[in-house]
Amino acid sequence: MHRLTFALVSGLMLLTGCGSAEEPAQEPASSILFTEVTQQAGLAGFSHYNGAAGDFWFPETMGAGAAVVDVNDDGWQDLVLVAGGGWGESSETALQVWMNERDGTFVREPSAEPRGLAPYGFGVIAGDLDRDGDADLVYTSLGRDAVLRNDSGRFVDVTREVGVSEEAAWSTAAAMFDADGDGWLDLYIGKYVDWTSETDIYCSQDGQNKGYCTPELYPGTPGQFYLNRGDGTFMDRTEEAGFGEALGKTLGALVLDHNRDGLPDLMLANDTEPDELYLNRGQGTFEEVGVISGVAFDERGRARAGMGINSGVVDDTGEETIFVGNFSSEMMGVYRHLGNDVFLDRAASSRIGQPSLLTLTFGIALADFDLDGDLDLFAANGHVQPQIERVKENIRFRQPPHAFQNQGDGTFADVWTGADEGASGWLARAVIWLDYDNDGDPDLLLTENGGPVHLLRNDASGESLTVRLDGRPEGARVRLFTDAGVQERFVRAGESYLGQSQIDPVFGLGSTARVDSLVVHWASGAVSRVVAPEGGEVRVEEAR
């Protein structure tokens, strides 16, 4: 059992070379103990397989995704894990379903798993595409993508019958959202680059050995947008909706409504291309405004290697902040909305930028890990070049994560102190949060490329409120009013890197003496209110 401690130090930046040796040490105000329970939870038998056999083919660096799904609607969070597969090998285990046994353990359920999937998978997200009350899946891969209908806890491939393209392409991040306001979830599938084993390019980092190429050498592939016909089947409306000129090289897709107009927007994190922000102009049409909004480039006007993406309200301005994971030697992107679809680059002032320079960040999880009433950030890190330590003295191949504790004002302290538990670090990719043991605090699941998953149990002390949303949760804005202020969560299908966290929000209550009310603004425009909900759990039905 590995104990991974976040020493949460208010106002203290743990940065090499910052401060003087004469400054007295500060005692932590509080701490969170994350305990790795992968083996005890029954997940040690899982391993992602990327097929690497010395050819250094580009896709081998990118896996793998994971999603939190309550498969059987029993109130306990299950896991869907992208297992990968070798080149041209059987796809029988490309996607694995691990059911929560409600006792802190998971058991794989092969009978729930779809068959015949393209073996080289990347991402998976969940949402009720056919409005039958359970969560369906969308699986992205290097071959054909798949729409997987939930039939009483068993996932069935219905891609062809619902009208989603089966053409082989390198698909990555996906997102479900009601783009046109008709009450049915539409679908965006992000694409990466035009790569095949026949077009693979020889690249080397050290001048002697073949290594993995970077995406600049390959043309990007634009994503596809599918409009739901209102019966769970889809039609391709990429051009008509305004996505036809998308740059491609997309690794992160995030639905948000930063301008609070009730229309879901879409931001794409692109690898070595400008990030893109698509504003919803109504009736399912979009306008790309990334450059003029200030989210396309870094502070010097350069495109970065965008990976995972997430957003949330992290300070008392009430405005959304977008976080984008980038390559080593590039700060993590931090953009706070100022109003009028304009964002301020806060990478440096948030105190996230400097600590993130030496790491390559893929997944980003936002949750209130210390239950003090504001969102903290966990970044999953790991490099893509096995030879990187030969050519970059200060950058590691396997890397520790970042645990950025919110100081209550939108500034953060990197308080991860668990690196010594695994001195070699991780080749981390996706990171998603879930309350797998239903104890009221957000735990973490982290995937490794070509390796295991890690389940980190959060043993935080403090009160919290979990909100169970009965209805159509995707696109809902949930606001909790307490005597300490207002907390907010936006519910989305698809986030972080190639994955999806728990859809039911968890609010930390800190030292709050009184909870005033809970308000849910549903995507339909309906509003539900609960007066003085007690801590623990509250179930909210969509207003009619």
Side-chain angles (χ1 to χ4, degrees):
M1 179 181 294
H2 297 294
R3 295 187 179 274
L4 311 177
T5 305
F6 292 10
L8 303 184
V9 186
S10 297
L12 176 62
M13 282 297 296
L14 304 182
L15 297 178
T16 301
C18 292
S20 84
E22 289 74 30
E23 292 176 356
Q26 299 187 37
E27 291 296 324
S30 60
S31 65
I32 299 177
L33 184 66
F34 268 73
T35 303
E36 178 159 7
V37 294
T38 309
Q39 183 170 355
Q40 300 93 308
L43 292 168
F46 175 86
S47 184
H48 171 254
Y49 179 47
N50 64 6
D55 294 311
F56 289 90
W57 284 349
F58 193 13
E60 295 169 0
T61 63
M62 295 299 186
V68 178
V69 189
D70 186 356
V71 174
N72 55 3
D73 197 29
D74 65 351
W76 293 76
Q77 305 301 322
D78 309 304
L79 296 170
V80 180
L81 306 177
V82 178
W87 299 104
E89 296 180 11
S90 169
S91 62
E92 295 305 297
T93 60
L95 200 63
Q96 296 185 12
V97 176
W98 291 76
M99 301 298 294
N100 194 322
E101 294 292 284
R102 299 185 289 186
D103 61 0
T105 67
F106 293 84
V107 172
R108 186 180 169 195
E109 186 54 66
S111 65
E113 298 168 2
R115 297 293 185 248
L117 300 182
Y120 216 92
F122 288 96
V124 60
I125 63 170
D128 189 1
L129 293 171
D130 51 9
R131 287 185 59 174
D132 65 350
D134 53 28
D136 310 300
L137 303 177
V138 172
Y139 167 79
T140 64
S141 77
L142 188 63
R144 70 178 188 92
D145 303 318
V147 177
L148 307 172
R149 186 179 63 212
N150 188 337
D151 284 350
S152 301
R154 177 173 173 265
F155 292 103
V156 179
D157 189 345
V158 294
T159 311
R160 182 172 301 174
E161 63 189 78
V162 301
V164 170
S165 173
E166 295 186 291
E167 182 180 356
W170 188 346
S171 298
T172 50
M176 301 179 191
F177 56 108
D178 184 3
D180 58 354
D182 67 350
W184 292 79
L185 290 178
D186 308 302
L187 176 63
Y188 185 87
I189 299 179
K191 309 287 183 178
Y192 193 52
V193 299
D194 184 5
W195 177 94
T196 67
S197 57
E198 290 77 20
T199 61
D200 186 72
I201 300 171
Y202 182 95
C203 297
S204 176
Q205 276 65 53
D206 59 10
Q208 300 178 6
N209 302 289
K210 186 181 181 185
Y212 292 108
C213 292
T214 58
E216 292 101 329
L217 300 178
Y218 296 94
T221 303
Q224 291 173 289
F225 174 73
Y226 294 95
L227 194 69
N228 197 318
R229 289 188 174 93
D231 59 2
T233 66
F234 297 88
M235 46 189 170
D236 189 328
R237 288 294 182 268
T238 306
E239 294 289 341
E240 296 87 340
F243 294 109
E245 301 300 319
L247 298 170
K249 303 187 182 180
T250 296
L251 291 176
L254 186 79
V255 179
L256 69 165
D257 182 18
H258 61 279
N259 53 16
R260 301 174 189 271
D261 62 358
L263 302 173
D265 309 305
L266 182 68
M267 182 158 168
L268 305 179
N270 298 326
D271 192 358
T272 69
E273 296 284 356
D275 294 334
E276 297 170 292
L277 176 60
Y278 286 88
L279 289 185
N280 193 327
R281 295 306 191 188
Q283 298 183 329
T285 62
F286 294 81
E287 178 186 1
E288 205 287 303
V289 297
V291 174
I292 62 175
S293 291
V295 298
F297 304 105
D298 67 9
E299 73 282 358
R300 298 183 180 180
R302 300 174 300 190
R304 291 183 281 197
M307 309 292 182
I309 187 170
N310 220 318
S311 72
V313 177
V314 298
D315 56 33
D316 60 7
T317 66
E319 296 288 351
E320 198 92 352
T321 296
I322 300 170
F323 300 88
V324 181
N326 293 308
F327 211 76
S328 52
S329 301
E330 299 175 340
M331 289 186 181
M332 187 182 297
V334 181
Y335 305 101
R336 186 175 67 200
H337 186 229
L338 296 178
N340 299 316
D341 300 316
V342 175
F343 289 79
L344 173 68
D345 188 331
R346 298 194 66 249
S349 61
S350 68
R351 301 181 184 177
I352 285 177
Q354 188 69 26
S356 67
L357 275 172
L358 296 182
T359 50
L360 197 167
T361 296
F362 280 89
I364 298 173
L366 280 173
D368 188 358
F369 295 114
D370 55 2
L371 302 181
D372 68 348
D374 51 38
L375 288 172
D376 309 301
L377 185 151
F378 188 96
N381 305 319
H383 215 278
V384 297
Q385 299 291 354
Q387 304 95 351
I388 189 63
E389 295 175 21
R390 301 179 190 173
V391 296
K392 293 283 187 179
E393 183 178 355
N394 56 352
I395 296 178
R396 295 166 56 185
F397 180 49
R398 308 181 69 87
Q399 299 178 352
H402 293 298
F404 288 111
Q405 183 213 10
N406 194 330
Q407 304 298 283
D409 58 359
T411 64
F412 295 80
D414 186 2
V415 295
W416 175 261
T417 61
D420 290 341
E421 298 292 337
S424 61
W426 293 325
L427 295 181
R429 295 298 183 259
V431 61
I432 53 179
W433 74 265
L434 72 159
D435 183 7
Y436 83 97
D437 49 5
N438 275 357
D439 66 350
D441 55 31
D443 311 299
L444 287 168
L445 182 95
L446 179 146
T447 72
E448 287 202 62
N449 180 45
V453 295
H454 301 274
L455 181 63
L456 307 182
R457 187 186 68 214
N458 186 352
D459 297 322
S461 60
E463 298 297 319
S464 66
L465 178 68
T466 299
V467 182
R468 306 290 187 188
L469 298 172
D470 284 346
R472 290 165 290 177
E474 296 87 359
R477 186 180 302 278
V478 185
R479 306 185 78 199
L480 182 70
F481 296 83
T482 76
D483 57 358
V486 182
Q487 296 184 52
E488 184 173 303
R489 304 288 190 272
F490 183 80
V491 180
R492 56 176 63 93
E495 65 177 25
S496 184
Y497 174 76
L498 307 182
Q500 180 168 327
S501 293
Q502 176 175 313
I503 207 160
D504 292 323
V506 174
F507 292 91
L509 301 180
S511 58
T512 298
R514 182 168 60 90
V515 176
D516 296 324
S517 61
L518 178 77
V519 179
V520 180
H521 297 266
W522 301 87
S524 64
V527 180
S528 301
R529 292 181 174 85
V530 180
V531 178
E534 296 183 359
E537 181 177 311
V538 61
R539 188 170 293 274
V540 183
E541 293 186 3
E542 184 173 0
R544 303 298 179 187

